[in-house]
Amino acid sequence: MPENNEMYEQMGISKEVTAYGEDILEGLKDRFLQIDRIAEYNQLKVLKAMQDAKVSEACLLGTTGYGYNDLGRDTLEKVYANIFHTEDALVRPQITCGTHALALALSSCLRPGDELLSPVGKPYDTLEEVIGIRPSKGSLAEYGITYRQVDLLGDGSFDYEKIEKAINSKTKLITIQRSKGYQTRPTLSVEKIGELIAFIKSRKPDVICMVDNCYGEFVERIEPTDVGADMAVGSLIKNPGGGLAPTGGYIAGKKEYVENAACRLTSPGLAKEVGASLGILNSFYQGLFLAPIVTANALKGAVFAANFYERLGFAVIPDGKEERHDIIQAVTFGTPEGVVAFCKGIQAAAPVDSFVVPEPWDMPGYDSQVIMAAGAFVSGSSIELSADGPIKPPYAVYFQGGLTWEHAKFGIMKSVQQLLDEHIISL
Ligand SMILES: *Cc1c(COP(=O)(O)O)cnc(C)c1O
């Protein structure tokens, strides 16, 4: 009978790399058990949310045209509200991505003269244009909404003194990014977010606290809305879509703010009442159902990668032992060759476009060349195994996703094999 090792060999992984990987895995049993326990909790949470909302077979069908009385759409929004323990939610295929969901939440709750504050440093790249940090057509800045930012302290903690000073009579909304995204600061735990929100609300109770929840969903047992956030916002082609949602975004929060967002997404007066779901709801429901397990699979991949590359001598963020609050793993190679080889390995492990060789290119909006590896069923999906890295010091790659743990494991071994074949590392 063929052994797993033989299969790995057929797939281009040498015995050495397989053995090295198995050795690393031996030490990860407790971590994986912890991840499984959280996944189990969240699986039940999602199931309960669906049962409590009385999801029925009819909910899986879609509407056309205006989409009035779309039972499936309205029920799915109840399911999200149940999961996030919020009054309401907006979950739509018409929300095109995470940036759009965030822009919607911000632009619908802010008015000219209001001020937006980020107490956790610079937000995700694409939000710079939404806010107007980088001038852009239609930015909040163009509408007379000002922006203030307080950076995290050197050790990654909140600068409460400066935050207190930054809050003023104009401060209307606070944006808190949970995930580090593509920065080197630590990702915030939900508990930490709760502490920050409590502090802010003690200074200004009526300020709206919004959390950019991208990459964080289902990593912990609780979500930011369980610790005082007025809104949690994210993308369906990341964790909560479970790899099946082909597009979409969500905003879960207080009724008033969700309604604001709906009025902006569709039109004042129409709000949540319109928006045909066409045939997409089945994938939203089924993806959400799978999301806790898919997130756990991606997390296991991230932990495995951290430990593998740490043992090989590379700097990794988070490190192999750290508790996880999102699914992103950074590995610093220190050379362009390392970044390219890693991405080649990930690409070669993909179910789609595995025969394509990724190359660095001049991507719009970036100040250096960028290399990306992705062979996904859903274009651009980063809950599927993917990696990218800017070709500039410190030459780090950001790696995330994996619909199954087995695939994430294979992808990481493939990347190690590529580095080995190019004599960048030795085992
Ligand atoms: C991915 C991401 C976004 C933007 O999402 P897109 O779907 O790429 O527009 C915003 N914030 C964070 C932290 C993210 O990880």
Side-chain angles (χ1 to χ4, degrees), residues 97-99 102 124 126 177 179 181 212 214-215 235 238:
C97 61
T99 304
L102 289 158
Y124 197 74
T126 55
Q177 185 179 309
S179 169
D212 174 353
C214 282
Y215 286 133
S235 161
K238 294 179 180 173

Side-chain angles (χ1 to χ4, degrees), residues 121-135:
K122 188 182 88 65
Y124 197 74
D125 266 18
T126 55
L127 283 189
E128 291 186 19
E129 284 182 272
V130 171
I131 296 167
I133 301 171
R134 270 187 284 144

Side-chain angles (χ1 to χ4, degrees), residues 18 38 74 84 127 142 145 170 212 228 251-252 271 335 337 400 426:
T18 308
I38 292 173
D74 295 347
F84 286 93
L127 283 189
E142 273 197 353
I145 295 154
K170 288 169 62 182
D212 174 353
I251 298 171
T335 63
E337 292 76 23
Q400 68 269 310
S426 54

Side-chain angles (χ1 to χ4, degrees), residues 24-260:
I24 303 259
L25 264 183
E26 273 304 305
L28 297 179
K29 288 195 171 130
D30 284 349
R31 290 296 296 281
F32 278 29
L33 191 63
Q34 253 182 350
I35 292 171
D36 285 336
R37 294 294 286 173
I38 292 173
E40 187 178 346
Y41 181 93
N42 285 326
Q43 180 71 83
L44 295 175
K45 177 158 78 172
V46 169
L47 182 60
K48 184 170 188 303
M50 289 189 176
Q51 292 180 348
D52 289 350
K54 293 203 159 43
V55 174
S56 64
E57 196 176 349
C59 292
L60 306 178
L61 303 173
T63 55
T64 57
Y66 294 106
Y68 291 133
N69 302 311
D70 189 318
L71 176 72
R73 180 196 66 204
D74 295 347
T75 305
L76 181 68
E77 291 180 336
K78 273 196 201 111
V79 172
Y80 267 74
N82 288 347
I83 290 169
F84 286 93
H85 304 118
T86 53
E87 291 171 2
D88 205 353
L90 188 67
V91 187
R92 303 284 169 122
Q94 290 86 3
I95 301 177
T96 57
C97 61
T99 304
H100 186 194
L102 289 158
L104 199 57
L106 293 171
S107 61
S108 64
C109 289
L110 291 161
R111 294 290 178 272
D114 288 342
E115 188 160 276
L116 168 68
L117 169 66
S118 170
V120 297
K122 188 182 88 65
Y124 197 74
D125 266 18
T126 55
L127 283 189
E128 291 186 19
E129 284 182 272
V130 171
I131 296 167
I133 301 171
R134 270 187 284 144
S136 188
K137 214 180 261 299
S139 69
L140 296 175
E142 273 197 353
Y143 285 87
I145 295 154
T146 52
Y147 171 71
R148 236 175 242 262
Q149 177 178 312
V150 175
D151 291 336
L152 294 171
L153 292 169
D155 64 355
S157 62
F158 304 123
D159 191 340
Y160 283 117
E161 218 172 287
K162 286 214 179 108
I163 293 170
E164 172 142 40
K165 283 198 193 119
I167 298 172
N168 60 62
S169 60
K170 288 169 62 182
T171 312
K172 174 76 174 294
L173 195 151
I174 310 267
T175 179
I176 301 169
Q177 185 179 309
R178 177 172 174 182
S179 169
K180 64 183 165 305
Y182 302 124
Q183 288 173 269
T184 47
R185 71 148 165 103
T187 287
L188 304 174
S189 68
V190 174
E191 192 186 352
K192 276 237 176 81
I193 290 173
E195 289 166 15
L196 177 59
I197 292 173
F199 175 82
I200 289 162
K201 296 256 178 182
S202 75
R203 297 305 184 273
K204 191 165 187 182
D206 60 346
V207 78
I208 305 168
C209 290
M210 181 195 88
V211 174
D212 174 353
N213 210 24
C214 282
Y215 286 133
E217 298 92 349
F218 303 124
V219 172
E220 299 184 41
R221 285 181 174 82
I222 50 171
E223 297 292 340
T225 43
D226 292 317
V227 295
D230 298 303
M231 272 189 284
V233 182
S235 161
L236 298 196
I237 64 166
K238 294 179 180 173
N239 309 14
L244 293 185
T247 186
Y250 77 89
I251 298 171
K254 292 231 167 82
K255 198 163 192 61
E256 184 190 346
Y257 308 142
V258 170
E259 173 148 33
N260 286 346

